[in-house]
Amino acid sequence: MKLLGEIIGHQDIISLLRKAVDTGRVAHAYLFAGPAGVGKGTVARAFARALLCRQPRQGDACGQCRDCRQAAQGNHPDLIFVQPTPNTIKIDQVREIQQRFALTPYQGFRQVGVIEQAETMTAEAANCFLKTLEEPQGESVFILLSDQPYLLLPTVVSRCQQIFFHFLSFGEVVEGLVALAGLERAKAELPAALSGGSLGRAVKLAAQGNLTGQRKKAFTAAAALTEAFSGEALRLAQNFAGEREEVHLLFETLLLWYRDLLVWRVSGDEKLLVNRDFLPLIRQEAKNCTTSRIIDIIYKVEQAKNRLRANANPRLTVEVLFVQLGRKEG
Ligand SMILES: [Zn+2]
């Protein structure tokens, strides 16, 4: 379990949380909202640890006291995690945490509840939880995590201090991969570029390894699409109609591909390419497209990615995109 000071990225959020601990001006409830895989959970655990530490240093946990050690080992009696079981958080789970928080803290001066995927609370559970927010008990602090905060009750949201997490920059993901996965910087660049700003996803991609085969498949399809009418475009789409995560990776791969075509057309500088190992194909395809067409395609892939994020059907999203990128009939 990390300290706040060890976290990569989200520095504005980290300093806000450290200031809260340092000054003792801690809200009763926080909502950490933002996309999956950017580190909301990591920050929440580190914040919880700082909140429970007896001798915080500049708002961060000391990492050495009994509370810090217990929190790190996952057995601090005043730190409670609530997760969906299996798909929703039920009223009984909320009642249980309420009962525990009605008692004085076991050993510390404060209790911390981390509610993961808070949007999965059933209506009953959310209404029950609302009472806790309306009448906070003692020094309890709740941290709600959600990548779909618009599904939460507005009355719950309005009683939380809302903190918005964003995607990490390319440089931050590279730095994270070097630190977490022990990769060399040069080897971290491709998974970082394909991660869409999610360190969690970058770590998975780096571990999975076969990025070359996966890129080759996507680039070959992209090249074939230039000549493909709708029927053929749909047939090509069948090779990618998989799980949401796979389709997401396809879109990130395509974005990098078209970005490379654009960079090559504009600069002709090999050093600026991400997929340098595909230079012959990039050179050939860059000739087949105009710059304005490549820009248009990049917008279309971005739109498809946003639709996927907004929960569109993955298979349909690939099919629509491929038909859009194919040749127009007649
Ligand atoms: Zn400590």
Side-chain angles (χ1 to χ4, degrees):
M1 198 188 249
K2 285 185 186 312
L3 300 176
L4 284 168
E6 292 168 347
I7 290 171
I8 291 159
H10 310 306
Q11 289 310 303
D12 46 344
I13 293 173
I14 304 288
S15 53
L16 184 139
L17 298 176
R18 288 181 73 160
K19 198 170 168 199
V21 174
D22 201 31
T23 58
R25 287 198 201 138
V26 178
H28 278 292
Y30 291 85
L31 169 60
F32 286 7
V38 296
K40 297 189 296 295
T42 306
V43 176
R45 284 188 291 275
F47 182 41
R49 206 172 165 200
L51 287 169
L52 293 168
C53 175
R54 308 284 175 123
Q55 41 203 320
R57 295 169 188 170
Q58 289 149 11
D60 202 351
C62 75
Q64 277 145 27
C65 70
R66 181 173 168 217
D67 293 271
C68 278
R69 289 200 313 271
Q70 283 180 322
Q73 287 156 5
N75 57 15
H76 195 296
D78 296 321
L79 174 57
I80 300 170
F81 289 87
V82 181
Q83 288 148 344
T85 53
N87 299 317
T88 54
I89 294 174
K90 298 176 183 64
I91 190 166
D92 291 345
Q93 293 174 271
V94 173
R95 286 209 180 111
E96 195 185 324
I97 198 169
Q98 282 172 335
Q99 278 158 14
R100 282 192 60 177
F101 279 21
L103 308 166
T104 49
Y106 276 81
Q107 66 182 49
F109 52 98
R110 176 182 269 154
Q111 292 155 311
V112 181
V114 179
I115 318 252
E116 298 177 13
Q117 289 178 264
E119 76 282 355
T120 64
M121 273 192 264
T122 62
E124 271 183 316
N127 278 304
C128 179
F129 182 65
L130 186 59
K131 291 201 188 77
T132 303
L133 294 181
E134 284 167 344
E135 297 156 29
Q137 293 158 328
E139 282 289 311
S140 59
V141 177
F142 282 96
I143 309 170
L144 281 68
L145 310 183
S146 180
D147 46 22
Q148 292 171 288
Y150 45 87
L151 296 178
L152 286 162
L153 278 186
T155 38
V156 167
V157 174
S158 68
R159 285 190 162 74
C160 297
Q161 179 170 348
Q162 297 170 46
I163 297 191
F164 296 97
F165 283 69
H166 300 285
F167 288 110
L168 297 172
S169 72
F170 172 72
E172 287 168 339
V173 178
V174 170
E175 200 188 323
L177 277 176
V178 171
L180 283 180
L183 288 188
E184 289 166 38
R185 192 158 281 271
K187 291 214 168 118
E189 284 180 0
L190 183 62
L194 288 170
S195 73
S198 154
L199 185 53
R201 186 178 285 135
V203 169
K204 270 190 222 151
L205 288 174
Q208 144 190 344
N210 183 27
L211 293 174
T212 303
Q214 178 272 335
R215 278 183 304 150
K216 189 172 180 194
K217 188 177 157 195
F219 299 165
T220 312
L225 275 174
T226 321
E227 292 300 317
F229 288 117
S230 303
E232 174 64 5
L234 281 176
R235 200 191 59 75
L236 285 168
Q238 299 318 307
N239 299 329
F240 298 95
E243 299 289 315
R244 186 166 299 274
E245 195 57 23
E246 281 170 55
V247 172
H248 189 280
L249 179 58
L250 167 69
F251 291 166
E252 294 292 353
T253 311
L254 288 176
L255 281 174
L256 279 190
W257 168 249
Y258 290 109
R259 178 238 173 236
D260 275 355
L261 293 190
L262 186 65
V263 167
W264 182 254
R265 277 188 71 88
V266 174
S267 72
D269 185 350
E270 193 185 328
K271 289 195 295 298
L272 299 178
L273 301 177
V274 176
N275 302 288
R276 276 185 290 266
D277 45 342
F278 284 85
L279 182 61
L281 191 59
I282 290 174
R283 212 181 257 154
Q284 177 194 320
E285 285 307 303
K287 265 187 273 174
N288 292 342
C289 291
T290 62
T291 301
S292 66
R293 177 163 157 73
I294 298 172
I295 292 172
D296 183 51
I297 289 177
I298 289 174
Y299 284 138
K300 291 203 164 82
V301 181
E302 281 285 359
Q303 282 165 1
K305 198 173 97 176
N306 291 338
R307 282 199 297 273
L308 188 70
R309 228 179 245 154
N311 245 349
N313 177 300
R315 181 191 186 112
L316 188 61
T317 315
V318 179
E319 288 174 344
V320 169
L321 176 69
F322 275 30
V323 170
Q324 282 178 326
L325 300 194
R327 231 171 124 177
K328 301 289 163 280
E329 317 277 341

PDB file of all heavy atoms in Angstrom, residues 53-54 62-63 65 68, ligand 1:
ATOM      1  N   CYS A  53      -3.299   7.453  10.439  1.00  0.00           N
ATOM      2  CA  CYS A  53      -1.956   7.529  11.032  1.00  0.00           C
ATOM      3  C   CYS A  53      -1.948   8.430  12.259  1.00  0.00           C
ATOM      4  O   CYS A  53      -2.578   9.479  12.275  1.00  0.00           O
ATOM      5  CB  CYS A  53      -0.960   8.032   9.984  1.00  0.00           C
ATOM      6  SG  CYS A  53       0.700   8.307  10.645  1.00  0.00           S
ATOM      7  N   ARG A  54      -1.199   8.014  13.310  1.00  0.00           N
ATOM      8  CA  ARG A  54      -1.131   8.804  14.560  1.00  0.00           C
ATOM      9  C   ARG A  54      -0.195   9.989  14.409  1.00  0.00           C
ATOM     10  O   ARG A  54      -0.279  10.935  15.170  1.00  0.00           O
ATOM     11  CB  ARG A  54      -0.581   7.961  15.708  1.00  0.00           C
ATOM     12  CG  ARG A  54      -1.256   6.664  15.931  1.00  0.00           C
ATOM     13  CD  ARG A  54      -2.571   6.884  16.618  1.00  0.00           C
ATOM     14  NE  ARG A  54      -3.253   5.616  16.727  1.00  0.00           N
ATOM     15  CZ  ARG A  54      -3.662   5.096  17.870  1.00  0.00           C
ATOM     16  NH1 ARG A  54      -3.454   5.724  18.997  1.00  0.00           N
ATOM     17  NH2 ARG A  54      -4.299   3.955  17.864  1.00  0.00           N
ATOM     18  N   CYS A  62       2.862   8.209   8.155  1.00  0.00           N
ATOM     19  CA  CYS A  62       4.284   8.048   8.483  1.00  0.00           C
ATOM     20  C   CYS A  62       4.806   6.720   7.937  1.00  0.00           C
ATOM     21  O   CYS A  62       5.980   6.573   7.660  1.00  0.00           O
ATOM     22  CB  CYS A  62       4.505   8.133   9.992  1.00  0.00           C
ATOM     23  SG  CYS A  62       3.981   6.657  10.899  1.00  0.00           S
ATOM     24  N   GLY A  63       3.906   5.764   7.779  1.00  0.00           N
ATOM     25  CA  GLY A  63       4.304   4.472   7.211  1.00  0.00           C
ATOM     26  C   GLY A  63       4.908   3.522   8.235  1.00  0.00           C
ATOM     27  O   GLY A  63       5.228   2.386   7.915  1.00  0.00           O
ATOM     28  N   CYS A  65       3.999   3.700  12.092  1.00  0.00           N
ATOM     29  CA  CYS A  65       3.276   3.464  13.337  1.00  0.00           C
ATOM     30  C   CYS A  65       2.390   2.225  13.202  1.00  0.00           C
ATOM     31  O   CYS A  65       2.219   1.677  12.111  1.00  0.00           O
ATOM     32  CB  CYS A  65       2.444   4.700  13.722  1.00  0.00           C
ATOM     33  SG  CYS A  65       1.047   4.987  12.626  1.00  0.00           S
ATOM     34  N   CYS A  68      -0.420   2.574  10.657  1.00  0.00           N
ATOM     35  CA  CYS A  68       0.069   2.510   9.279  1.00  0.00           C
ATOM     36  C   CYS A  68       0.349   1.077   8.878  1.00  0.00           C
ATOM     37  O   CYS A  68       0.006   0.645   7.777  1.00  0.00           O
ATOM     38  CB  CYS A  68       1.342   3.336   9.129  1.00  0.00           C
ATOM     39  SG  CYS A  68       0.991   5.077   8.900  1.00  0.00           S
TER      40      CYS A  68
HETATM   41 ZN    ZN B   1       1.644   6.262  10.763  1.00  0.00          ZN
END
